[in-house]
Amino acid sequence: RKEVEQDPGPFNVPEGATVAFNCTYSNSASQSFFWYRQDCRKEPKLLMSVYSSGNEDGRFTAQLNRASQYISLLIRDSKLSDSATYLCVVTPFPYGGSQGNLIFGKGTKLSVKP
Amino acid sequence: DGGITQSPKYLFRKEGQNVTLSCEQNLNHDAMYWYRQDPGQGLRLIYYSQIVNDFQKGDIAEGYSVSREKKESFPLTVTSAQKNPTAFYLCASSPPLIGRPDSRTYNEQFFGPGTRLTVL
């Protein structure tokens, strides 16, 4: 089983749609979880951290299910500008990337159409 | 403006040549990282450094070397021993944990714009 698995997509959705991405991770010791966004031929940028209680940032909602080792990202009211690849990222360290290793999924490609 | 710069943006190299990719940051971050990204693949860690004059191998260090003589700089050398060097190379940095008041404010890794290396 790969360390971090994501559905590669592409997800093709109309503007205004709600879309959900899932991610599973294999290391039960994982402690920090993130969603990054990567535009075509650009560097990844942090979209949001994922907290145990779940968290929301505007149109974006992230959920964590430790028992099932599963992370999700929900995007409501999709915009054209949401078109990008969304990377699920996991680390065994409690305070994220500073201690070394972020494990990246291959990403899920989203294309929002007018 | 603070940030991470990588140069050059595009780099072409002949087989058998070593090449050095530059990464500079003025964010006063202690930790710096090098990743490689291949088409349709996730990022893979090559080397990382938590402090000046110290660095550790990542998952795919073979055929690469690094140095960390200054806090601001973490150059990566792709040697001729790297069998498949054509890829998108990303440098990142992250701030120290000490003094962060909010334990939920997990460290973010900030990425540079990347260097696309093509071996001809």
Side-chain angles (χ1 to χ4, degrees):
Chain A
R1 184 179 174 187
K2 295 196 174 90
E3 289 195 75
V4 177
E5 289 200 68
Q6 296 182 250
D7 182 341
F11 283 57
N12 298 309
V13 303
E15 263 188 297
T18 295
V19 60
F21 305 138
N22 301 322
C23 169
T24 56
Y25 60 94
S26 60
N27 184 354
S28 59
S30 299
Q31 296 200 43
S32 298
F33 309 91
F34 311 89
W35 284 101
Y36 275 71
R37 170 193 170 128
Q38 186 173 24
D39 292 303
C40 188
R41 300 180 73 81
K42 299 284 190 181
E43 73 274 23
K45 294 184 179 177
L46 181 68
L47 179 65
M48 56 198 305
S49 301
V50 185
Y51 303 136
S52 296
S53 54
N55 47 300
E56 189 174 307
D57 183 2
R59 298 183 292 109
F60 298 84
T61 300
Q63 296 280 349
L64 168 64
N65 184 323
R66 284 187 185 273
S68 301
Q69 295 179 205
Y70 168 98
I71 307 157
S72 66
L73 177 68
L74 182 77
I75 305 176
R76 291 181 299 278
D77 189 23
S78 300
K79 311 289 184 193
L80 296 176
S81 57
D82 293 334
S83 296
T85 296
Y86 291 83
L87 307 176
C88 176
V89 183
V90 169
T91 174
F93 299 103
Y95 295 109
S98 213
Q99 297 188 52
N101 213 348
L102 298 184
I103 311 297
F104 286 79
K106 294 182 180 180
T108 297
K109 187 171 181 180
L110 171 65
S111 181
V112 182
K113 307 291 187 186
Chain B
D1 282 37
I4 303 176
T5 56
Q6 290 185 244
S7 61
K9 189 172 182 179
Y10 298 96
L11 187 58
F12 298 88
R13 177 195 109 175
K14 289 183 181 176
E15 231 175 298
Q17 288 180 336
N18 291 359
V19 63
T20 298
L21 280 57
S22 166
C23 178
E24 304 278 332
Q25 54 97 1
N26 60 4
L27 299 166
N28 200 31
H29 287 173
D30 288 321
M32 296 185 75
Y33 312 82
W34 274 106
Y35 293 90
R36 167 186 174 136
Q37 187 176 35
D38 294 281
Q41 301 296 316
L43 278 69
R44 291 182 291 167
L45 184 66
I46 304 172
Y47 268 99
Y48 65 101
S49 168
Q50 301 286 4
I51 198 168
V52 174
N53 292 323
D54 188 49
F55 48 82
Q56 281 78 43
K57 291 182 180 179
D59 299 320
I60 54 164
E62 187 175 349
Y64 300 98
S65 66
V66 293
S67 63
R68 187 85 187 277
E69 297 176 2
K70 298 186 299 181
K71 188 175 187 178
E72 301 80 19
S73 179
F74 190 40
L76 173 75
T77 297
V78 184
T79 74
S80 56
Q82 169 48 236
K83 297 195 186 316
N84 188 18
T86 295
F88 186 36
Y89 290 87
L90 288 155
C91 178
S93 70
S94 60
L97 289 167
I98 295 171
R100 295 183 74 81
D102 181 0
S103 64
R104 296 186 71 190
T105 308
Y106 298 141
N107 274 301
E108 173 182 354
Q109 285 192 11
F110 296 82
F111 285 85
T115 292
R116 293 195 178 274
L117 172 65
T118 302
V119 173
L120 303 172

